[in-house]
Amino acid sequence: MRSDRGRLTAQLRSAREPTQEQQRRFGEFLTRKYGRKVPLHWERDESLRSGFQLQVGSDVYDWTLDGRVRQFQDYLRQLQPGAQDLLPLMRQAVEDWTLAVVPEEIGYVLTVDGEIATVDGLDHAQYGEILIFSGGVKGMVQDLRRNGVSCVLFGSSESISAGSIVRRTLKTAGMPVGQDFLGRVVDALGVPVDGRGRIQAESYRPIESPAPGILDRQPVNAPMETGLLAIDAMFPIGRGQRELIIGDRQTGKTAIALDTILNQKGKDVVCVYVAIGQKTSSVAQLVDNLSRRGAMDYTCVINASAGSSAALQYIAPYAGCALGEYFMHQGRDVLIVYDDLSKHAVAYRALSLLLERSPGREAYPGDVFYLHSRLLERSAHLSDELGGGSMTALPIVETQAGDVSAYIPTNIISITDGQIFLESDLFFSGQRPAVNVGLSVSRVGGDAQTKAMKSAAGAIRLDLAQYREMEVFTQFSSDLDEATKRQLAYGQGLMRLLRQPQYAPLSQHRQVILLVCAMAHVMQDVPLEGMDAFRTALLEHLEEGAPELCQRIDRTGKLSDEDRGELTGMARKFAEQYLAAERRE
């Protein structure tokens, strides 16, 4: 402790009064440690068991029984033994361990209010550092002030009250990482919540880390295929890209992310799904769908449900990003889904208001842009010198009545490399995925497509834009010429072709076949109500008739003019036979 005049003094606490010899030794230790004579005051404290507790300023030397046990536990944690050699290492640790004279900085709770605690006495605490409160509750420093530090709590505050002891950990908030996290459901602190036991972590990564610099990256040039024809053909996503999925509530945003995860099966891609502010039942259903389709083998789900504290919802996406970075720096490809960042912003707004930060637009704090930019910028395609790994981000944002000009949507649109906008009217008309061709964009474009996909897609986006424009102008007209009718029928056929059921991602060769046939007007005369059956029959026919061609497209990602001609010829012949058989029936 310090006196009012700033003079350094020492406070000795114990259950019994120290002897004169002990006081002399304490005085010699203080003089040697602090380079001057420090006045020593003794105070009786019956709560302390055998030993002493010495406080000098903000330094605390804990020689009590609890302090020695805690120091020995920290020593054991540093050994990190495996299960097979635990006992020998513990025996050796007991023989080698000696009590170290190490100061421990201790603070005291001034106030606690829900998820926020104000602490005094931690003069050297750092922003983002983890603190341990009484009862084992963890907190993270969020504000450094003259009269103390404010931190958010990751657990219940019932065991914390004014005067409770707080200890520094000297660690910033982090996430345990490792291969064993695949197939598991954990919370934002990396603790399993699926009832399948503890996870053996291989390392520990801070949840906040700098994004890779320009020289540490390379261009995004490899596709991250979603298996959805409407997206892979018109708005391709590359490995290392950040593509926003945006739309109103219940328009299929999560379904797109889920299908993308399913489409990575067998492609050596690690998937991380971060659920923020969702119902636990919804997350359980999603995990069940992934498990039944074999996708949990390469997926980790991080759940900060609506019932979790705002602090856990706040750190959840950063924890998922830290886990993804672990695999990315091993040279692997990672797909991470943040579902959704609008709820993440709301959780951060709640914390900021409780921390008494100044509210701005829509009551969000001034650094809400930085909140998401420092998260999404960590997605990258690393250079070959760093292993060539990648992390592709699919952030999800919910809009209100299709308003993409709201605060959080515009922020994230400006951070990402494109957006897939899902339109409510399209969704309720049966067009699923309900992708709005006009407002959706991928700023990576054809660089994230294979040559086969780029060649097959052709001008499909332009054709659809022309159809949508023509549809608006002709909806009130009853007298249309034959060319306009065919153009409308062609556009309607394209829209119907792009309809795709959930949990049914298409392989690359199937997408190429459908696009080649559509661009060649093979399906021009197929009635809309029979389009789904015709598409299924066409794919089966071509896979049986040209299996080597299909395998070559998947393997090389290329489509020659000869291949295109062969596919078109076979498709035309099949369409004629199929339509003739339909007419006879």
Side-chain angles (χ1 to χ4, degrees), residues 53-331:
Q53 191 177 81
L54 179 66
Q55 181 172 356
V56 187
S58 60
D59 293 341
V60 175
Y61 300 88
D62 197 344
W63 291 308
T64 62
L65 178 60
D66 291 340
R68 291 194 293 267
V69 170
R70 190 164 52 250
Q71 193 176 128
F72 181 62
Q73 288 173 339
D74 292 339
Y75 175 70
L76 282 178
R77 290 190 191 99
Q78 295 174 5
L79 299 177
Q80 295 181 344
Q84 69 279 4
D85 54 359
L86 177 61
L87 290 178
L89 270 175
M90 287 189 66
R91 292 193 191 99
Q92 188 65 37
V94 172
E95 294 174 2
D96 295 345
W97 181 72
T98 56
L99 182 64
V101 184
V102 179
E104 183 182 16
E105 195 168 345
I106 291 180
Y108 299 92
V109 175
L110 293 177
T111 61
V112 58
D113 183 12
E115 300 179 17
I116 305 296
T118 305
V119 180
D120 185 29
L122 301 181
D123 296 340
H124 302 94
Q126 300 178 0
Y127 179 83
E129 182 179 350
I130 294 296
L131 307 179
I132 300 293
F133 291 78
S134 57
V137 177
K138 293 181 179 179
M140 182 172 65
V141 177
Q142 282 291 285
D143 262 349
L144 303 174
R145 302 177 181 178
R146 289 183 180 273
N147 59 346
V149 300
S150 296
C151 59
V152 297
L153 303 177
F154 293 143
S156 172
S157 60
E158 293 181 357
S159 61
I160 304 172
S161 60
S164 298
I165 294 177
V166 186
R167 288 182 170 83
R168 293 182 62 193
T169 63
L170 304 180
K171 289 184 178 180
T172 57
M175 171 76 176
V177 294
Q179 183 71 28
D180 290 347
F181 278 84
L182 298 182
R184 301 299 299 273
V185 183
V186 300
D187 65 11
L189 299 176
V191 179
V193 293
D194 53 6
R196 294 170 49 195
R198 65 186 299 271
I199 301 175
Q200 183 65 41
E202 299 172 13
S203 183
Y204 183 88
R205 287 188 65 89
I207 62 172
E208 300 261 15
S209 62
I214 294 175
L215 296 180
D216 296 332
R217 301 171 182 250
Q218 61 177 307
V220 175
N221 50 23
M224 175 65 71
E225 295 165 336
T226 66
L228 299 171
L229 185 61
I231 295 175
D232 290 340
M234 296 183 287
F235 317 105
I237 301 172
R239 301 196 177 193
Q241 187 177 342
R242 302 151 300 178
E243 185 79 2
L244 172 64
I245 303 174
I246 184 170
D248 284 1
R249 185 173 179 270
Q250 297 293 327
T251 52
K253 301 184 297 297
T254 302
I256 288 179
L258 188 56
D259 281 347
T260 305
I261 292 175
L262 294 175
N263 195 50
Q264 307 314 311
K265 188 173 183 178
K267 297 182 180 179
D268 195 28
V269 175
V270 174
C271 298
V272 180
Y273 179 84
V274 184
I276 310 165
Q278 297 187 42
K279 293 186 295 184
T280 302
S281 59
S282 300
V283 178
Q285 185 178 6
L286 180 140
V287 172
D288 180 61
N289 284 326
L290 291 175
S291 299
R292 284 191 283 109
R293 291 166 176 83
M296 280 301 292
D297 296 339
Y298 53 87
T299 303
C300 176
V301 175
I302 297 178
N303 181 30
S305 66
S308 302
S309 66
L312 289 176
Q313 294 182 43
Y314 161 56
I315 69 166
Y318 299 101
C321 190
L323 180 61
E325 284 177 329
Y326 168 76
F327 292 104
M328 177 177 69
H329 287 289
Q330 289 184 338

Side-chain angles (χ1 to χ4, degrees), residues 323-490:
L323 180 61
E325 284 177 329
Y326 168 76
F327 292 104
M328 177 177 69
H329 287 289
Q330 289 184 338
R332 301 185 66 178
D333 294 311
V334 180
L335 171 68
I336 183 165
V337 178
Y338 304 111
D339 190 6
D340 66 70
L341 291 188
S342 50
K343 291 187 178 69
H344 180 234
V346 168
Y348 184 65
R349 176 174 63 185
L351 289 178
S352 297
L353 293 175
L354 289 172
L355 289 167
E356 300 179 358
R357 293 176 179 169
S358 299
R361 178 178 168 186
E362 298 179 24
Y364 287 105
D367 62 342
V368 74
F369 180 89
Y370 182 57
L371 170 75
H372 291 141
S373 66
R374 73 178 190 263
L375 170 69
L376 296 172
E377 291 291 342
R378 290 160 68 178
S379 298
H381 184 193
L382 295 180
S383 62
D384 292 334
E385 291 76 14
L386 294 178
S390 71
M391 183 161 64
T392 308
L394 294 181
I396 295 176
V397 166
E398 184 178 304
T399 56
Q400 304 292 330
D403 184 13
V404 295
S405 62
Y407 190 26
I408 300 304
T410 51
N411 277 352
I412 302 179
I413 285 173
S414 64
I415 297 169
T416 52
D417 307 310
Q419 69 274 350
I420 298 170
F421 179 68
L422 303 181
E423 188 177 348
S424 298
D425 291 342
L426 284 175
F427 182 84
F428 294 123
S429 68
Q431 187 67 31
R432 302 175 187 180
V435 179
N436 183 303
V437 178
L439 294 179
S440 302
V441 65
S442 172
R443 298 188 182 99
V444 175
D447 290 342
Q449 283 180 311
T450 62
K451 293 182 178 179
M453 278 296 296
K454 191 185 301 185
S455 171
I460 184 173
R461 190 175 178 187
L462 180 60
D463 291 347
L464 283 174
Q466 290 175 344
Y467 159 70
R468 294 296 297 272
E469 185 178 1
M470 187 179 298
E471 184 184 34
V472 172
F473 281 105
T474 60
Q475 60 181 332
F476 300 110
S477 176
S478 59
D479 187 17
L480 301 176
D481 59 86
E482 197 61 34
T484 303
K485 289 180 180 178
R486 288 190 64 82
Q487 184 70 24
L488 285 172
Y490 171 62

